[in-house]
Amino acid sequence: MTELKKKEAECLEDAEEHGNATPADCKRTWDKLLCWPEADAGETLALPCPNILFRFMKEPAGIVKRNCTKKGWSDPFPPYHIACPVEDEIPLEEQSYFSTIKIIYTVGYSVSITSLIIAVTVLIAFRRLRCPRNYIHVQLFFTFILKAIAIFVKDAVLFQEEDIDHCSFSTTECKISVVFCHYFMMTNFMWLLVEALYLNCLLLSSLSHGRRYFWWLVLFGWGFPTFFTLIWILAKFYFEDTACWDINQGSPYWWLIKGPIIISVGVNFVLFTNIIRILLKKLDPRQINFNNSSQYRRLSRSTLLLIPLFGTHYIVFNFLPEYTSLGVRLYLELCIGSFQGFIVAVLYCFLNQEVQTEIGRRWHGKRYGLMRAWRRTRWTVPSSSGVKMTTSVC
């Protein structure tokens, strides 16, 4: 659709440039597929099928003709559907492949949503788990949940009927669904970046300073994607308002979405490399402080677990044409990507030793009637000065 829009703009621009020339019987015109130049009455023009149809055509490109009469242009002959026959039926093998992909990512996103909702509930319900680090985990969980819901909504809107012509289908509902899908995809990558930024804050400064940075990171995680998404919406609305805004091939405005994502992935790689360097230094037996060694080990595990999740494949595919290695792209982004939320919930909540400890305490407390005793208990650890101080599992 973007290519057709460019062709139409070029055609109409040339028509304005030739406006002062000697008027012809048939003016330059655009018929939504081809640009027909000026002609005099009695002339017959022949043009090849549009380039955009070549990849979909069953047979070699044909010729479309139009007669110029005193009343204007005649209808194209033979008609486009005869001169440029398009393969409009998807082969059975491709239908089976896409159906399998849809089933897998539907199951994946459903499992992710369920596990993430449980994880959010656990991290919020236990008072001792309420700290900036876990609040950031919760925000990350929410982005995975909202991204999965947005994908389900977009599928329901765009594919509500099998006979919809997606080249001409354009409604406010479908555009809104695509906008939210792109927005939550960007927030997901930004909150992965926030995870890395907060770990750097904790490692390079004190815990109190890390808490001071928390609200700035929250503002960045939600505000940065909002800013670029709004600019993208305005650009699409005024300059490229075609279809459901879901066709991005050849669109320069698509970089407003994928550009920040690529940059965030690159910055993440640098930050994680730096975090690993700092952690290895702090875990050096010659320099290690016994009191906070367990905290550094937890941070190192968290960092190493995030590395395979931060979307390295996104950089590789986004410097290639939109339809390059489509099968591999769909498998990585939809099949494997749909289970990312489940993996994050398992690693940051269900396998988290702090979470398991709190659940164990609550379970045994209810079982043996010790809940009141636990609530009166203050957890203390020795500080470097020898004075006991209250702390939490965060």
Side-chain angles (χ1 to χ4, degrees):
M1 296 299 293
T2 303
E3 185 176 343
L4 288 177
K5 279 288 185 181
K6 290 180 180 178
K7 296 288 185 182
E8 180 183 7
E10 293 173 1
C11 182
L12 298 178
E13 184 178 350
D14 290 341
E16 293 178 358
E17 292 178 356
H18 291 83
N20 297 327
T22 304
D25 296 302
C26 297
K27 296 182 179 180
R28 177 183 291 266
T29 185
W30 172 259
D31 67 354
K32 297 185 178 180
L33 284 175
L34 288 173
C35 182
W36 296 89
E38 296 177 348
D40 296 322
E43 287 188 74
T44 299
L45 299 186
L47 297 177
C49 292
N51 294 336
I52 195 173
L53 298 180
F54 282 1
R55 71 176 66 179
F56 307 107
M57 290 176 61
K58 301 178 183 178
E59 303 170 1
I63 299 294
V64 182
K65 300 179 180 180
R66 293 185 80 173
N67 290 328
C68 178
T69 67
K70 291 184 178 181
K71 295 182 179 181
W73 287 107
S74 68
D75 292 332
F77 65 93
Y80 281 108
H81 69 275
I82 296 176
C84 315
V86 175
E87 184 71 55
D88 55 356
E89 293 184 0
I90 302 176
L92 291 177
E93 293 183 359
E94 289 190 15
Q95 288 183 13
S96 176
Y97 173 76
F98 289 127
S99 298
T100 303
I101 291 286
K102 185 175 182 179
I103 292 172
I104 293 175
Y105 80 71
T106 300
V107 172
Y109 282 124
S110 300
V111 171
S112 293
I113 290 175
T114 304
S115 58
L116 287 165
I117 290 175
I118 296 173
V120 169
T121 303
V122 169
L123 292 181
I124 294 177
F126 293 99
R127 184 176 300 175
R128 295 188 185 280
L129 297 176
R130 298 174 190 173
C131 64
R133 180 162 60 87
N134 284 339
Y135 286 153
I136 288 178
H137 293 341
V138 169
Q139 304 279 344
L140 180 63
F141 294 169
F142 272 125
T143 64
F144 276 107
I145 293 172
L146 294 172
K147 183 178 76 169
I149 294 174
I151 288 175
F152 284 147
V153 172
K154 187 184 77 168
D155 284 354
V157 173
L158 293 182
F159 306 106
Q160 53 187 324
E161 297 178 8
E162 294 183 359
D163 57 347
I164 289 179
D165 181 10
H166 292 280
C167 293
S168 58
F169 182 64
S170 179
T171 63
T172 302
E173 291 79 7
C174 76
K175 291 175 182 177
I176 292 175
S177 67
V178 170
V179 167
F180 278 106
C181 193
H182 292 333
Y183 172 70
F184 289 126
M185 177 180 65
M186 192 187 298
T187 57
N188 188 232
F189 280 96
M190 291 305 131
W191 275 97
L192 284 170
L193 176 59
V194 168
E195 288 276 0
L197 288 171
Y198 188 72
L199 282 175
N200 271 269
C201 292
L202 290 182
L203 292 172
L204 297 176
S205 63
S206 67
L207 185 62
S208 60
H209 289 150
R211 287 174 177 168
R212 191 199 318 172
Y213 299 141
F214 172 73
W215 290 110
W216 288 107
L217 294 175
V218 171
L219 180 63
F220 170 79
W222 294 106
F224 191 79
T226 302
F227 174 75
F228 279 94
T229 303
L230 288 175
I231 295 177
W232 179 77
I233 292 172
L234 294 174
K236 295 290 286 187
F237 182 78
Y238 287 106
F239 305 112
E240 201 176 80
D241 191 11
T242 58
C244 281
W245 296 358
D246 59 329
I247 300 175
N248 303 311
Q249 186 181 20
S251 172
Y253 308 112
W254 179 231
W255 282 98
L256 290 169
I257 299 295
K258 75 176 183 179
I261 291 176
I262 292 174
I263 293 174
S264 73
V265 174
V267 174
N268 252 340
F269 182 80
V270 174
L271 289 176
F272 286 151
T273 303
N274 185 56
I275 290 171
I276 292 174
R277 180 187 64 81
I278 296 173
L279 289 173
L280 290 176
K281 183 177 179 181
K282 289 182 179 291
L283 291 173
D284 188 340
R286 295 169 297 181
Q287 304 181 21
I288 195 167
N289 183 342
F290 178 78
N291 294 327
N292 54 18
S293 62
S294 61
Q295 179 187 14
Y296 291 137
R297 289 194 177 94
R298 289 199 303 269
L299 291 176
S300 63
R301 285 197 297 269
S302 300
T303 304
L304 293 174
L305 293 175
L306 262 182
I307 290 175
L309 297 174
F310 71 176
T312 308
H313 70 279
Y314 200 89
I315 290 183
V316 176
F317 283 115
N318 274 280
F319 286 105
L320 298 174
E322 191 73 20
Y323 293 100
T324 301
S325 303
L326 185 60
V328 178
R329 185 196 297 263
L330 289 175
Y331 183 76
L332 286 174
E333 293 186 357
L334 293 179
C335 293
I336 296 179
S338 64
F339 286 95
Q340 279 187 336
F342 170 71
I343 296 172
V344 168
V346 170
L347 296 179
Y348 280 102
C349 183
F350 305 140
L351 294 183
N352 189 316
Q353 185 177 1
E354 299 162 355
V355 173
Q356 293 176 353
T357 301
E358 286 302 301
I359 292 176
R361 289 194 180 108
R362 183 66 61 91
W363 171 257
H364 290 298
K366 287 184 177 180
R367 188 174 180 181
Y368 297 109
L370 300 177
M371 283 296 294
R372 295 181 180 178
W374 283 351
R375 287 177 181 172
R376 293 194 302 266
T377 302
R378 293 177 63 84
W379 297 88
T380 59
V381 296
S383 66
S384 56
S385 61
V387 180
K388 290 185 177 182
M389 61 181 186
T390 304
T391 183
S392 71
V393 292
C394 291

